[in-house]
Amino acid sequence: MALSRFWGWFLIHIALFLSLCYAEDPFVFYDFEVTYITASPLGVPQQVIAINNKFPGPTINSTTNNNVVINVRNKLDESLLMHWSGIQQRRSSWQDGVLGTNCPIPPKWNWTYQFQVKDQVGSFFYFPSLHFQRAAGGFGSFIINNRPIIPIPFDTPDGDIVILIGDWYTRNHTALRKALDAGKGLGMPDGVLINGKGPYRYNDTLVPDGIEYETINVHPGKTYRLRVHNVGISTSLNFRIQSHNLLLAESEGSYTVQQNYTSLDIHVGQSYSFLLTTDQNASSDYYIVASARFVNESQWKRVTGVAILRYSNSKGKASGPLPDPPQDEFDKTFSMNQARSIRWNVSASGARPNPQGSFRYGSINVTEVYVLRNKPPETIDGKRRATLSGISFVNPATPIRLADQYKIKGVYKLDFPNKPLTEPPKMETSVINGTYRGFMEVILQNNDTKMHTYHMSGYAFFVVGMDYGEWSENSRGTYNKWDGIARSTTQVYPGAWTAILISLDNVGVWNLRTENLDSWYLGQETYVRVVNPEATNKTELPMPDNALFCGALSKLQKPQDVSSSLATSIIEGRSKLFFTVLMISSTLFLVSR
């Protein structure tokens, strides 16, 4: 009886303790078991990467300032890192999941990520960042909801729908990787997937029978929030829904000025929220389309993703031709003007109650300028490589952030040039030296013949300008210094430039890369190192207790008991909280005696 009374008393104190200490910043827990499964999204059986036996993986659903704990069990036959694209990892670049900050999770091991989604809202996604694995799946949506006390700048939607679009190859990621290693290109994709499924059979000639397609079920007279992410390899996609307008509302954590589009170009790595009102009649279902952009349309017709929007009172199947894409196959001006039309909603509250526009980026003095130029892949030391400003990045055996922590010399060079090199290209581990609390202007100059998108970890940067031709000092006269969208991924049109501004207030080592997976794999990336000269936990959290070691520090790594991965998950993800509660509760119990 005494024991049962103790446990009843103990559980009450746990609940009380949790409510007192974690009411404002609660924890959300996820377990990810990453494995291979066989799937046939385009009618051809192939190996894909699943999470918890799902392809795509589960949606992470969180709220601003939540502490997110994700235990990842790697059941692949190669090392793994999960990257949380667009999650700023405030004070915790240790959790970013890229090689510059983390050692890979070995096969059969598990590792627990723990980070706070600090001062963020919006639509993001996650994916495996190593070994070209994103081409095989392992991706999923990451949602950060507003706290209830912060209003959203539109009526609460009647539903929330995730749509993952992306180009897809029927060759597995190891075969694609080998092609790149051999100096070859990937060629045209085999299709476009929508939520991991192939196209609806809108055309009997182009689409074989028996392919599973995605159906989005809705009710008439409602408004839904569609969170659309391009998780593909390198293809820009035009997204549209037959007979429906798409009211743009948010992009990668920033609320936008609300505008209707009949279609929108979504480039690799980008995320958008649309408000879809189901205001059409239900005589039939409607097509949802994601089709390739800036390509020879006749050759790429089979590379089209098609899903179905089905009203609950629908009277028949979708039929007839797909809704037309923009008629500008060889003229990208329409697309660029569309991109320029996406503006920051300066009066809406973001993650905090103050308006987004209260940060007046246009009045801040720039302290450092970097012009980053990319070109088509070129041969360096006998290998086909991709470059930024003449440098093809080589990932070090010891992650940059870990080398800093242990003061290991020679791992990287803090000498990335602020202008493109004029001498022959080279392979280097060259890093940008960012000034803490500086304000950096980065000009992304695309001298390639294809579209690129660029992403920076740790930040939402301001997209202030884009145009065709070569950027010059005079180009600053065209910048939008009032309501340029703040986001983490921006497109750069071929033969054009895009200018971004970054407030370097987040300490850490942050990846700056092309999102085009083939060019990223071939070295088109660098890191921005931001160090607070005053060491303090207020600007960067300590290295996590479960940090993995590799490279020059591999001797520090203790072996993991792979037979008890579930127990390890519980210990790493939850035990600190539990044992803190246990000790306090036990003390209180003894005192009460």
Side-chain angles (χ1 to χ4, degrees):
M1 284 292 289
L3 186 61
S4 64
R5 281 199 303 270
F6 165 72
W7 281 112
W9 178 94
F10 171 63
L11 292 172
I12 290 170
H13 276 77
I14 284 181
L16 179 62
F17 180 79
L18 290 176
S19 66
L20 289 173
C21 298
Y22 294 94
E24 289 187 10
D25 298 328
F27 283 73
V28 291
F29 295 95
Y30 288 87
D31 275 304
F32 277 16
E33 183 175 275
V34 186
T35 61
Y36 294 121
I37 63 170
T38 299
S40 306
L42 293 176
V44 179
Q46 63 182 122
Q47 176 183 275
V48 305
I49 295 175
I51 297 175
N52 301 343
N53 216 36
K54 293 180 179 180
F55 168 71
T59 294
I60 295 174
N61 208 310
S62 63
T63 299
T64 301
N65 295 343
N66 277 179
N67 296 285
V68 181
V69 181
I70 307 164
N71 184 74
V72 176
R73 279 175 274 173
N74 179 13
K75 292 197 171 183
L76 305 182
D77 57 359
E78 56 188 8
S79 58
L80 172 74
L81 279 174
M82 296 303 294
H83 175 60
W84 323 99
S85 188
I87 305 302
Q88 292 177 14
Q89 303 292 355
R90 307 294 298 182
R91 303 195 301 147
S92 59
S93 69
W94 298 105
Q95 308 290 331
D96 201 33
V98 287
L99 277 178
T101 52
N102 302 113
C103 293
I105 306 167
K108 298 183 180 179
W109 282 46
N110 72 273
W111 199 76
T112 303
Y113 292 86
Q114 181 169 330
F115 51 86
Q116 187 177 28
V117 287
K118 183 70 174 171
D119 291 335
Q120 279 193 272
V121 293
S123 309
F124 310 95
F125 68 95
Y126 62 84
F127 64 87
S129 64
L130 301 185
H131 309 309
F132 218 70
Q133 289 164 349
R134 191 174 83 199
F139 42 70
S141 178
F142 196 128
I143 295 172
I144 309 178
N145 301 292
N146 283 63
R147 291 176 291 160
I149 61 170
I150 309 295
I152 56 176
F154 42 83
D155 291 337
T156 302
D158 297 298
D160 204 297
I161 297 168
V162 169
I163 300 178
L164 304 171
I165 60 177
D167 56 359
W168 190 259
Y169 292 81
T170 54
R171 289 173 286 166
N172 66 24
H173 73 286
T174 55
L176 296 172
R177 196 168 68 206
K178 287 177 182 176
L180 293 174
D181 289 339
K184 301 174 183 176
L186 298 181
M188 192 168 71
D190 297 297
V192 170
L193 304 190
I194 298 181
N195 285 348
K197 298 175 183 177
Y200 172 80
R201 200 177 191 199
Y202 70 97
N203 183 307
D204 293 350
T205 303
L206 293 173
V207 183
D209 192 16
I211 288 180
E212 184 182 6
Y213 58 87
E214 177 74 339
T215 300
I216 304 294
N217 293 300
V218 295
H219 295 282
K222 303 290 185 182
T223 297
Y224 296 86
R225 182 173 182 170
L226 306 185
R227 302 176 189 264
V228 187
H229 314 267
N230 187 336
V231 296
I233 295 174
S234 63
T235 306
S236 296
L237 297 173
N238 181 262
F239 182 79
R240 56 199 185 274
I241 300 179
Q242 185 180 26
S243 302
H244 290 74
N245 283 324
L246 299 167
L247 183 62
L248 182 64
E250 177 255 335
S251 176
E252 295 153 30
S254 288
Y255 291 118
T256 66
V257 173
Q258 291 173 28
Q259 301 177 78
N260 272 312
Y261 296 87
T262 54
S263 70
L264 189 72
D265 290 342
I266 304 179
H267 306 279
V268 179
Q270 291 188 329
S271 300
Y272 289 99
S273 279
F274 302 102
L275 298 177
L276 174 76
T277 300
T278 51
D279 55 4
Q280 300 299 301
N281 67 52
S283 59
S284 69
D285 298 340
Y286 295 93
Y287 293 126
I288 301 171
V289 183
S291 61
R293 291 287 274 140
F294 318 123
V295 295
N296 186 311
E297 200 171 307
S298 60
Q299 291 181 6
W300 283 64
K301 269 194 172 180
R302 65 178 176 82
V303 185
T304 300
V306 183
I308 293 298
L309 183 74
R310 176 165 296 157
Y311 282 47
S312 56
N313 60 341
S314 174
K315 297 178 177 63
K317 294 183 178 180
S319 60
L322 300 180
D324 290 330
Q327 301 299 312
D328 64 341
E329 181 181 329
F330 302 108
D331 178 9
K332 302 173 187 67
T333 306
F334 171 85
S335 182
M336 182 180 283
N337 286 337
Q338 187 186 64
R340 288 169 173 156
S341 74
I342 298 170
R343 300 298 181 96
W344 209 28
N345 185 339
V346 296
S347 62
S349 297
R352 295 184 177 188
N354 49 302
Q356 291 181 147
S358 59
F359 184 85
R360 295 182 175 84
Y361 67 88
S363 61
I364 301 173
N365 292 326
V366 169
T367 56
E368 45 207 313
V369 181
Y370 281 83
V371 178
L372 306 182
R373 175 177 293 149
N374 78 296
K375 297 165 66 176
E378 48 198 321
T379 301
I380 307 176
D381 298 338
K383 296 180 180 180
R384 184 172 181 263
R385 299 287 296 180
T387 59
L388 263 184
S389 292
I391 296 176
S392 186
F393 191 82
V394 178
N395 276 296
T398 308
I400 298 163
R401 185 63 197 87
L402 209 56
D404 278 354
Q405 179 74 13
Y406 285 85
K407 296 180 172 55
I408 298 173
K409 305 296 184 184
V411 170
Y412 63 91
K413 296 179 181 179
L414 208 58
D415 64 350
F416 198 93
N418 58 9
K419 293 182 180 179
L421 297 177
T422 54
E423 60 259 33
K426 59 184 179 179
M427 294 169 62
E428 290 276 5
T429 307
S430 182
V431 174
I432 291 175
N433 186 17
T435 303
Y436 177 57
R437 297 200 181 281
F439 199 56
M440 180 181 286
E441 178 184 14
V442 176
I443 292 90
L444 302 161
Q445 180 78 51
N446 184 2
N447 285 18
D448 200 346
T449 56
K450 66 178 184 178
M451 178 76 72
H452 276 266
T453 48
Y454 284 88
H455 173 91
M456 184 170 175
S457 293
Y459 294 93
F461 50 68
F462 298 95
V463 183
V464 294
M466 58 179 68
D467 205 351
Y468 287 100
E470 289 282 319
W471 179 89
S472 71
E473 301 280 340
N474 293 332
S475 302
R476 291 194 179 103
T478 67
Y479 284 7
N480 175 356
K481 293 190 175 183
W482 168 244
D483 61 356
I485 190 70
R487 63 187 313 168
S488 61
T489 309
T490 186
Q491 70 269 46
V492 191
Y493 292 85
W497 56 267
T498 296
I500 62 176
L501 297 176
I502 314 165
S503 178
L504 298 179
D505 61 349
N506 192 13
V507 169
V509 176
W510 304 108
N511 191 221
L512 175 57
R513 63 175 183 269
T514 178
E515 277 290 340
N516 299 52
L517 199 57
D518 48 352
S519 296
W520 182 13
Y521 180 80
L522 293 175
Q524 198 171 104
E525 64 175 323
T526 185
Y527 284 82
V528 180
R529 179 177 174 268
V530 182
V531 175
N532 183 352
E534 298 179 14
T536 169
N537 288 350
K538 291 182 179 180
T539 56
E540 187 180 32
L541 296 172
M543 184 177 76
D545 295 339
N546 65 340
L548 296 172
F549 297 97
C550 55
L553 297 167
S554 57
K555 290 182 179 179
L556 298 178
Q557 182 59 53
K558 297 177 181 178
Q560 186 174 94
D561 182 2
V562 297
S563 66
S564 59
S565 60
L566 181 58
T568 307
S569 162
I570 295 170
I571 290 170
E572 290 186 342
R574 301 171 171 90
S575 64
K576 289 182 180 179
L577 177 61
F578 176 78
F579 285 116
T580 300
V581 173
L582 178 62
M583 290 178 68
I584 292 173
S585 299
S586 299
T587 302
L588 289 172
F589 177 74
L590 291 172
V591 169
S592 69
R593 300 273 297 190

